[in-house]
Short mmCIF file of all heavy atoms in Angstrom, two decimals:
data_model
loop_
_atom_site.label_atom_id
_atom_site.label_comp_id
_atom_site.label_asym_id
_atom_site.label_seq_id
_atom_site.Cartn_x
_atom_site.Cartn_y
_atom_site.Cartn_z
N GLY A 331 -0.61 -62.41 -32.00
CA GLY A 331 0.45 -62.90 -32.91
C GLY A 331 0.01 -62.80 -34.35
O GLY A 331 -1.17 -62.61 -34.59
N LYS A 332 1.01 -62.94 -35.19
CA LYS A 332 0.60 -62.82 -36.67
C LYS A 332 -0.01 -64.10 -37.18
O LYS A 332 -0.65 -63.98 -38.31
CB LYS A 332 1.94 -62.59 -37.45
CG LYS A 332 2.67 -61.36 -37.09
CD LYS A 332 3.88 -61.06 -37.96
CE LYS A 332 5.12 -62.01 -37.60
NZ LYS A 332 5.62 -61.81 -36.25
N ARG A 335 1.90 -69.48 -38.53
CA ARG A 335 1.98 -70.95 -38.52
C ARG A 335 0.63 -71.67 -38.74
O ARG A 335 0.43 -72.48 -39.68
CB ARG A 335 2.57 -71.52 -37.22
CG ARG A 335 4.11 -71.07 -37.10
CD ARG A 335 4.65 -70.99 -35.70
NE ARG A 335 5.89 -70.36 -35.69
CZ ARG A 335 6.03 -69.03 -35.74
NH1 ARG A 335 4.97 -68.24 -35.68
NH2 ARG A 335 7.28 -68.48 -35.63
N HIS A 364 3.77 -72.96 -30.45
CA HIS A 364 4.50 -71.67 -30.80
C HIS A 364 4.36 -70.82 -29.47
O HIS A 364 5.46 -70.40 -29.04
CB HIS A 364 4.02 -71.16 -31.99
CG HIS A 364 4.55 -69.69 -32.28
ND1 HIS A 364 5.85 -69.37 -32.33
CD2 HIS A 364 3.83 -68.59 -32.43
CE1 HIS A 364 6.04 -68.13 -32.45
NE2 HIS A 364 4.84 -67.57 -32.57
N MET A 366 3.56 -71.56 -26.41
CA MET A 366 4.30 -72.15 -25.17
C MET A 366 5.86 -71.89 -25.35
O MET A 366 6.56 -71.52 -24.39
CB MET A 366 4.01 -73.58 -24.99
CG MET A 366 4.62 -74.62 -25.77
SD MET A 366 6.22 -75.30 -25.53
CE MET A 366 6.44 -75.28 -23.84
N SER A 367 6.25 -72.04 -26.58
CA SER A 367 7.82 -71.86 -26.79
C SER A 367 8.17 -70.44 -26.50
O SER A 367 9.31 -70.06 -26.03
CB SER A 367 8.21 -72.35 -28.17
OG SER A 367 7.92 -71.46 -29.09
N ASP A 371 10.67 -69.29 -23.68
CA ASP A 371 11.85 -68.59 -24.17
C ASP A 371 12.05 -67.35 -23.34
O ASP A 371 13.30 -66.82 -23.21
CB ASP A 371 11.73 -68.39 -25.65
CG ASP A 371 13.07 -67.87 -26.31
OD1 ASP A 371 14.04 -68.54 -26.25
OD2 ASP A 371 12.95 -66.88 -27.08
N ARG A 383 4.65 -59.72 -27.97
CA ARG A 383 3.45 -59.52 -28.62
C ARG A 383 2.86 -58.23 -28.10
O ARG A 383 1.68 -58.11 -27.87
CB ARG A 383 2.48 -60.73 -28.45
CG ARG A 383 2.88 -61.92 -29.21
CD ARG A 383 2.03 -63.10 -29.08
NE ARG A 383 2.26 -64.09 -30.08
CZ ARG A 383 1.76 -65.36 -30.18
NH1 ARG A 383 0.83 -65.66 -29.30
NH2 ARG A 383 1.95 -66.09 -31.20
N VAL A 440 8.85 -81.15 -32.14
CA VAL A 440 9.07 -80.23 -30.99
C VAL A 440 9.88 -80.78 -29.98
O VAL A 440 10.41 -80.01 -29.00
CB VAL A 440 7.66 -79.82 -30.26
CG1 VAL A 440 6.77 -79.15 -31.25
CG2 VAL A 440 7.06 -81.05 -29.63
N LEU A 445 12.66 -78.65 -31.79
CA LEU A 445 12.54 -77.44 -31.16
C LEU A 445 13.52 -77.28 -29.97
O LEU A 445 14.30 -76.30 -29.80
CB LEU A 445 11.14 -77.10 -30.83
CG LEU A 445 10.73 -75.65 -30.45
CD1 LEU A 445 11.11 -74.65 -31.47
CD2 LEU A 445 9.19 -75.60 -30.24
N VAL A 446 13.43 -78.37 -29.20
CA VAL A 446 14.25 -78.38 -27.89
C VAL A 446 15.72 -78.37 -28.24
O VAL A 446 16.47 -77.66 -27.65
CB VAL A 446 13.76 -79.57 -27.05
CG1 VAL A 446 14.77 -79.72 -25.86
CG2 VAL A 446 12.45 -79.33 -26.49
N GLN A 449 16.90 -75.00 -29.12
CA GLN A 449 17.05 -74.08 -27.95
C GLN A 449 18.35 -74.47 -27.25
O GLN A 449 19.12 -73.54 -26.67
CB GLN A 449 15.79 -74.14 -27.04
CG GLN A 449 15.83 -73.31 -25.85
CD GLN A 449 15.49 -71.86 -26.09
OE1 GLN A 449 15.57 -71.44 -27.31
NE2 GLN A 449 15.24 -71.13 -25.16
N LYS A 474 15.40 -74.20 -34.15
CA LYS A 474 14.60 -73.40 -33.25
C LYS A 474 13.41 -72.63 -33.87
O LYS A 474 12.38 -72.52 -33.25
CB LYS A 474 15.54 -72.31 -32.70
CG LYS A 474 15.24 -71.92 -31.29
CD LYS A 474 16.19 -70.84 -30.76
CE LYS A 474 15.38 -69.97 -29.95
NZ LYS A 474 16.21 -69.02 -29.14
N THR A 475 13.51 -72.38 -35.07
CA THR A 475 12.44 -71.56 -35.74
C THR A 475 11.82 -72.41 -36.95
O THR A 475 10.63 -72.47 -37.09
CB THR A 475 13.08 -70.28 -36.37
OG1 THR A 475 13.56 -69.53 -35.19
CG2 THR A 475 11.95 -69.49 -37.04
N PHE A 511 12.31 -67.25 -42.52
CA PHE A 511 11.70 -66.54 -41.44
C PHE A 511 12.76 -65.99 -40.37
O PHE A 511 12.71 -64.92 -39.86
CB PHE A 511 10.68 -67.50 -40.69
CG PHE A 511 9.75 -66.78 -39.76
CD1 PHE A 511 8.51 -66.37 -40.21
CD2 PHE A 511 10.16 -66.59 -38.48
CE1 PHE A 511 7.58 -65.80 -39.28
CE2 PHE A 511 9.32 -65.88 -37.62
CZ PHE A 511 8.02 -65.44 -38.01
N GLN A 512 13.68 -66.93 -39.98
CA GLN A 512 14.66 -66.59 -38.98
C GLN A 512 15.69 -65.54 -39.60
O GLN A 512 16.13 -64.71 -38.83
CB GLN A 512 15.35 -67.78 -38.38
CG GLN A 512 16.19 -67.50 -37.20
CD GLN A 512 15.51 -66.84 -36.07
OE1 GLN A 512 14.48 -67.32 -35.53
NE2 GLN A 512 15.95 -65.64 -35.65
C1 LIG H 605 8.78 -77.32 -27.18
C2 LIG H 605 9.02 -78.45 -24.84
C3 LIG H 605 9.36 -77.34 -25.84
C4 LIG H 605 10.23 -76.38 -25.42
C5 LIG H 605 10.47 -75.13 -26.09
C6 LIG H 605 11.92 -72.33 -25.33
C7 LIG H 605 12.05 -73.31 -26.42
C8 LIG H 605 11.86 -74.80 -26.23
C9 LIG H 605 12.35 -72.92 -27.72
C10 LIG H 605 12.38 -71.49 -28.13
C11 LIG H 605 11.87 -71.34 -29.52
C12 LIG H 605 11.78 -69.98 -29.97
C13 LIG H 605 11.04 -68.92 -29.11
C14 LIG H 605 12.16 -69.65 -31.12
C15 LIG H 605 11.95 -68.27 -31.88
C16 LIG H 605 10.95 -68.35 -33.02
C17 LIG H 605 10.57 -67.07 -33.50
C18 LIG H 605 11.15 -66.36 -34.64
C19 LIG H 605 9.44 -66.47 -32.95
C20 LIG H 605 8.72 -65.25 -33.44
O1 LIG H 605 7.65 -65.72 -34.11
P1 LIG H 605 6.63 -64.68 -34.83
O2 LIG H 605 7.28 -63.53 -35.35
O3 LIG H 605 5.79 -64.23 -33.53
O4 LIG H 605 5.65 -65.54 -35.74
P2 LIG H 605 4.21 -63.89 -33.32
O5 LIG H 605 4.13 -63.32 -31.98
O6 LIG H 605 3.78 -63.00 -34.53
O7 LIG H 605 3.50 -65.29 -33.38
#
Side-chain angles (χ1 to χ4, degrees):
K332 296 182 289 296
R335 293 154 194 82
H364 168 56
M366 77 78 41
S367 78
D371 193 51
R383 291 180 164 171
V440 301
L445 196 52
V446 172
Q449 182 75 346
K474 211 179 143 169
T475 301
F511 192 96
Q512 187 57 57

